[in-house]
Amino acid sequence: MKKFKRFSVVLMITALFSTSFTSCIDNEVSPLVEAIYSAQADLMAAQTAVQNAEANLLTAQAAAQQAQADYTAAQTAQVEAMTAGIIADDAYDAAVREQALRVLAAQTDLDVATAQNNLAIAQAEFDIQMADLMAQIQAAGVELAATYATQYGAAMTAANNTLSQKLTAEATLATAQLMQTGGVSWTYFVAQLEATVFTNQANITALQNAIADMEAYMQDPSTPEAQLTMWEDRVAELDALLAAKDAEMTAKMNEIDALADLQTSRNEIVTRYENALTDLEDAQADKQGFLDDIAIAQGDIQMWQDAIDSYAADLAALQTAVDNAQTAADNAQTAYDNALTAWNAADAALTTANTELSDLNTALAALDASYQAAIADLANEQALYDAGIAGANATLVAAQNALTAGQAAVVAAQADYDAKLAVFVADPTGFVWEAGVNGALGLHADATTTTASYYVVNATNDGVDALTLTAGTGTDQTGSYGTYAAFLADAQAGALTTGDFYDVGTDDVAGGTNADRLDAAVVALTAAQDAIPGLQNAVDAAQLTVDTFGDALAAALVVFNEQKDLYDNQVALVAAAEAAQATAVANEATAASDLSTATSDLSTANSDLTAANNDLAALDTPTTLQGWIDAANTDIADWQATIAVIQPLIDAYQAVVDGLQAEYDAYIASEGYITSNDADIEAQLIAAWNEWYALDAEYTALENEQALADNMVTVYTDWNTENLADLATTLSGLQAQLATAMANLEASQAALAAGQVDEAAAQAYIAYYQALVDALDAQYANEMALAAEYYALMQAALAS
């Protein structure tokens, strides 16, 4: 019985250890620590601006962190092994429970998402209506109403934004409430931790009693039989206690099962109501379907009767339509034939225009080549002319300048000859000296011997005496002055000393005899006159070059002009041909369009004729129509009979729905933000399970003490109770177990403290979001009231 009950408990506690606990076995962090860390992270991520609830939440989290630190310091391998065993036993059930919770949370999220989507659609529709209203108010020129309308629209938008925030907060609150009161919650978690503390405390008490008893016996080991009897009595007493505790646990489990059955029965009310409502709606839908069929059939009957009444007129009209359609088809055929003939002519004209244009373009291409060659040749000749004409002109100018210089040389040579001839005639034996570098001519006795000749500074020191062959008594200044003029200037300025002298004759050059000079003048005059014909020939040749330099350019220009005229004429012919071809294309396109239209018209006319013939052939006869009317009346009678059968079912289903309605509505009304319901039963179940956990902890403690008592019976039965060394070994083992139990107690107490703090934090989290929902609810109501006021003001402004 105990084993079965332990398995039942798994269904309520496994999710506590299923998700975040499993990883801690490998890294030596307790699963309980993992769970508390996870809860802290979730709580801290959810803080907002509601001051009082947020302060409570932060306080609870701080306490949870401190308790967690204490627990982490005290954890032991025994606690880890205990947790690992729970995980190994309950992994499958944990996954099932967790999946159920996820389904509930997902449904809550879906409900909120649907509400938010509906809100977004309503906001969009409101925006459209407000835009239309504003346009109408502005068109009417009512400025005050427009102002109130703008304020109304802003107030409604703010209210919708607040409503959206409220929906999101309600979804978070729903999830938090689900985790607080559902099968996986801090309530169950703390109950488990309390049971662990109780079991560890009881184990310590039993070990301490056994140790004290053995220590007392070892002080006086003379009565082993009394010790054995005492422990055997304790074993029997524990058997009775275990049986009584098992009975209590069975009774409590029966209470839990009864609450679960009650919860199931409430769910059955919903199922019965929904099934009855479905049956009612299905029957109503069947009835409405037959009513719709009857209405359709009655409409068909009236339509068929009308067709019988108008048959003669309809037949005549259809025949007339066939005749008219035939006439239209004949006319369309004639129009098509004419259009086809016109298109053939236009197409032939287009072919001719294309051929002529092609021939002209071929000729234009040939002219284009020769025209391009003429253009290139003219450009080349022009380039040659531009590059060479300046040089030819420069050559002519140079030749003219040379001729002018030659003519000037003849005039100069003629003058020199005349002068030297006069000198020779006057003195045929005379000679001539020429001044040297110093620029002054000295005194010479013959035509070949150089004679020193001097100018001496006079006695007054302001000039020089007459040229003499005698040097002065002062300083020879010939080397000091490059020219005689410089020496004379200083002498006249008083810069020299009387007697200083300057030699002007030593550097003089012998000019020859008058006869030699005349001969030289004759030679120079003859040479100058002989050069004139050659220079004149050079001028004439250069002038001819300049005069004929542009002949090739002129010839190229003539060819260019000829080709240009031919090309321009051909271009004009091509342009005219292109215009003619464009006209032909347009004519062909028009003819093609006319042909297409005629083709379409002919097809339409033929289709109309076919349709008219089909309509005539499809005209139902009065006999056929009457047969359909009779069949429809039969169907209507059958459907009405079926409706008569369905109506009692509808009445019965309605009675069932009405009978369950009140109970169903009350059940649905018990729902809060949590997707699941039955809050009252959930509370009773939590209390019952907590009581069962306490009983289970007491049962475990009794089992542990019974095992210890059995061990002590063995010690005093089988061992040598007078061998104190053996007893000391047993005592040492008990003391080691006590140390382990005390460490387990310390760890479980730390975990319990942390769990209690986190439970308070979870409650603060719910209180925080409940406060937020309440605040947003009040804010939404205020914003809607403000919007209503603006709307009333707008309406009043429009009315005035």
Side-chain angles (χ1 to χ4, degrees):
M1 183 65 183
K2 176 67 185 298
K3 182 176 181 181
F4 171 75
K5 292 172 184 176
R6 285 180 176 274
F7 181 76
S8 300
V9 175
V10 166
L11 297 178
M12 301 305 295
I13 67 172
T14 44
L16 287 172
F17 309 97
S18 63
T19 303
S20 60
F21 286 9
T22 54
S23 63
C24 67
I25 297 174
D26 295 332
N27 59 20
E28 298 186 356
V29 178
S30 170
L32 302 178
V33 178
E34 291 283 351
I36 294 173
Y37 276 144
S38 177
Q40 289 171 342
D42 292 340
L43 291 177
M44 294 190 70
Q47 298 178 48
T48 61
V50 181
Q51 295 296 327
N52 293 335
E54 184 177 27
N56 294 335
L57 178 61
L58 291 174
T59 301
Q61 287 176 330
Q65 290 175 348
Q66 182 59 48
Q68 181 60 51
D70 296 340
Y71 173 56
T72 301
Q75 64 181 344
T76 63
Q78 286 78 3
V79 175
E80 292 181 9
M82 175 189 69
T83 303
I86 293 174
I87 296 171
D89 292 340
D90 304 334
Y92 173 77
D93 294 314
V96 172
R97 184 64 179 178
E98 180 184 10
Q99 183 61 31
L101 286 176
R102 288 182 177 179
V103 170
L104 291 175
Q107 182 59 49
T108 299
D109 293 341
L110 178 61
D111 293 342
V112 173
T114 301
Q116 289 176 329
N117 182 59
N118 293 337
L119 176 60
I121 295 173
Q123 179 66 46
E125 293 176 349
F126 175 78
D127 291 341
I128 294 172
Q129 294 170 0
M130 279 302 302
D132 182 60
L133 174 62
M134 288 299 297
Q136 295 178 16
I137 292 176
Q138 290 172 356
V142 185
E143 295 182 0
L144 182 58
T147 300
Y148 287 139
T150 300
Q151 292 170 332
Y152 168 64
M156 284 300 298
T157 298
N160 283 341
N161 289 337
T162 300
L163 179 57
S164 178
Q165 296 173 27
K166 177 173 172 285
L167 287 171
T168 301
E170 286 176 346
T172 304
L173 176 60
T175 301
Q177 290 175 333
L178 177 67
M179 295 306 296
Q180 180 67 8
T181 61
V184 178
S185 67
W186 283 111
T187 301
Y188 287 123
F189 182 39
V190 170
Q192 292 297 304
L193 295 176
E194 289 173 343
T196 301
V197 170
F198 176 84
T199 301
N200 287 332
Q201 184 63 62
N203 193 27
I204 288 173
T205 300
L207 286 169
Q208 288 174 335
N209 292 335
I211 290 171
D213 181 76
M214 181 166 285
E215 287 176 341
Y217 174 76
M218 290 176 68
Q219 295 295 326
D220 183 15
S222 60
T223 58
E225 296 81 1
Q227 291 296 114
L228 176 60
T229 300
M230 180 191 71
W231 284 110
E232 288 175 341
D233 292 343
R234 183 55 181 165
V235 168
E237 181 182 356
L238 289 171
D239 286 338
L241 290 174
L242 282 170
K245 192 62 63 179
D246 185 72
E248 288 185 70
M249 293 176 66
T250 300
K252 185 56 63 177
M253 183 58 66
N254 291 336
E255 179 183 344
I256 291 172
D257 291 341
L259 288 172
D261 292 340
L262 177 59
Q263 192 173 42
T264 301
S265 68
R266 286 191 177 181
N267 292 334
E268 289 175 355
I269 292 173
V270 175
T271 302
R272 289 168 55 203
Y273 175 82
E274 291 177 347
N275 290 340
L277 184 61
T278 299
D279 292 338
L280 173 61
E281 292 172 347
D282 289 344
Q284 290 172 335
D286 291 341
K287 175 183 175 181
Q288 188 59 48
F290 287 122
L291 291 174
D292 292 341
D293 291 340
I294 289 172
I296 294 172
Q298 289 173 339
D300 291 341
I301 289 172
Q302 184 60 51
M303 176 184 66
W304 294 329
Q305 186 58 55
D306 292 342
I308 292 174
D309 297 339
S310 63
Y311 177 77
D314 293 341
L315 180 61
L318 290 174
Q319 186 58 59
T320 300
V322 169
D323 296 339
N324 293 337
Q326 184 62 60
T327 300
D330 295 340
N331 294 336
Q333 183 64 53
T334 299
Y336 171 80
D337 294 339
N338 294 335
L340 179 60
T341 300
W343 178 80
N344 287 331
D347 185 63
L350 177 59
T351 300
T352 300
N354 286 334
T355 301
E356 292 176 352
L357 179 59
S358 177
D359 293 343
L360 289 172
N361 277 325
T362 300
L364 179 62
L367 284 173
D368 180 72
S370 60
Y371 185 31
Q372 291 295 332
I375 291 172
D377 185 54
L378 177 59
N380 182 58
E381 292 298 334
Q382 183 67 53
L384 292 174
Y385 179 83
D386 293 341
I389 188 62
N393 284 326
T395 301
L396 174 60
V397 170
Q400 290 172 339
N401 291 338
L403 178 59
T404 300
Q407 291 171 340
V410 170
V411 172
Q414 184 65 51
D416 183 62
Y417 169 76
D418 292 341
K420 290 180 178 179
L421 178 60
V423 171
F424 176 77
V425 171
D427 185 7
T429 61
F431 59 89
V432 176
W433 283 86
E434 297 176 350
V437 175
N438 57 34
L441 184 62
L443 299 175
H444 304 282
D446 56 44
T448 60
T449 303
T450 301
T451 304
S453 304
Y454 307 97
Y455 283 106
V456 181
V457 177
N458 59 22
T460 59
N461 199 23
D462 59 357
V464 297
D465 294 332
L467 184 65
T468 179
L469 295 176
T470 303
T473 60
T475 301
D476 184 359
Q477 298 290 345
T478 304
S480 302
Y481 293 92
T483 64
Y484 168 66
F487 170 79
L488 178 61
D490 283 352
Q492 291 174 341
L496 299 175
T497 303
T498 300
D500 289 346
F501 60 90
Y502 189 89
D503 183 3
V504 298
T506 300
D507 67 344
D508 287 347
V509 178
T513 63
N514 290 338
D516 293 336
R517 291 168 61 83
L518 178 59
D519 289 340
V522 170
V523 172
L525 177 59
T526 300
Q529 290 173 336
D530 291 342
I532 293 301
L535 293 173
Q536 184 63 55
N537 290 337
V539 170
D540 294 342
Q543 185 64 55
L544 179 61
T545 298
V546 170
D547 293 343
T548 61
F549 201 82
D551 290 352
L553 176 60
L557 181 59
V558 170
V559 174
F560 169 77
N561 288 330
E562 291 176 352
Q563 289 297 318
K564 178 178 179 300
D565 292 341
L566 290 173
Y567 184 81
D568 290 345
N569 181 63
Q570 190 66 23
V571 168
L573 293 176
V574 169
E578 287 176 341
Q581 190 260 0
T583 299
V585 169
N587 292 338
E588 191 277 338
T590 299
S593 177
D594 293 343
L595 178 59
S596 177
T597 300
T599 301
S600 177
D601 291 344
L602 178 59
S603 176
T604 300
N606 286 330
S607 296
D608 292 343
L609 177 59
T610 300
N613 283 318
N614 290 339
D615 290 342
L616 180 60
L619 181 63
D620 296 316
T621 65
T623 301
T624 300
L625 294 169
Q626 187 59 54
W628 291 346
I629 290 174
D630 295 341
N633 283 324
T634 300
D635 289 337
I636 289 174
D638 293 340
W639 293 332
Q640 289 173 338
T642 302
I643 290 174
V645 174
I646 292 175
Q647 188 59 51
L649 294 177
I650 293 176
D651 297 339
Y653 293 146
Q654 185 66 61
V656 174
V657 170
D658 293 342
L660 294 173
Q661 188 70 55
E663 190 174 2
Y664 173 80
D665 291 342
Y667 179 70
I668 295 301
S670 67
E671 294 184 7
Y673 293 118
I674 303 177
T675 303
S676 64
N677 35 45
D678 299 333
D680 56 338
I681 297 179
E682 286 286 351
Q684 295 178 60
L685 278 171
I686 290 173
W689 274 115
N690 286 345
E691 293 171 3
W692 191 93
Y693 293 148
L695 294 174
D696 183 64
E698 295 170 1
Y699 189 96
T700 300
L702 292 173
E703 278 189 324
N704 293 338
E705 186 178 355
Q706 186 185 50
L708 177 61
D710 287 338
N711 184 50
M712 297 306 295
V713 169
T714 301
V715 168
Y716 287 104
T717 299
D718 298 335
W719 293 6
N720 185 356
T721 53
E722 296 180 357
N723 188 335
L724 295 182
D726 291 342
L727 292 177
T729 300
T730 301
L731 179 62
S732 176
L734 293 174
Q735 290 171 337
Q737 293 178 34
L738 177 61
T740 300
M742 294 183 71
N744 288 344
L745 176 62
E746 183 179 0
S748 61
Q749 287 174 335
L752 175 60
Q756 289 169 337
V757 170
D758 273 355
E759 181 182 25
Q763 293 171 348
Y765 184 73
I766 292 175
Y768 159 66
Y769 267 102
Q770 183 62 63
L772 178 59
V773 169
D774 294 341
L776 290 173
D777 194 38
Q779 180 180 343
Y780 176 68
N782 291 337
E783 289 169 343
M784 287 298 293
L786 180 62
E789 291 179 6
Y790 282 129
Y791 184 79
L793 290 172
M794 177 188 69
Q795 294 289 7
L798 288 173
S800 62

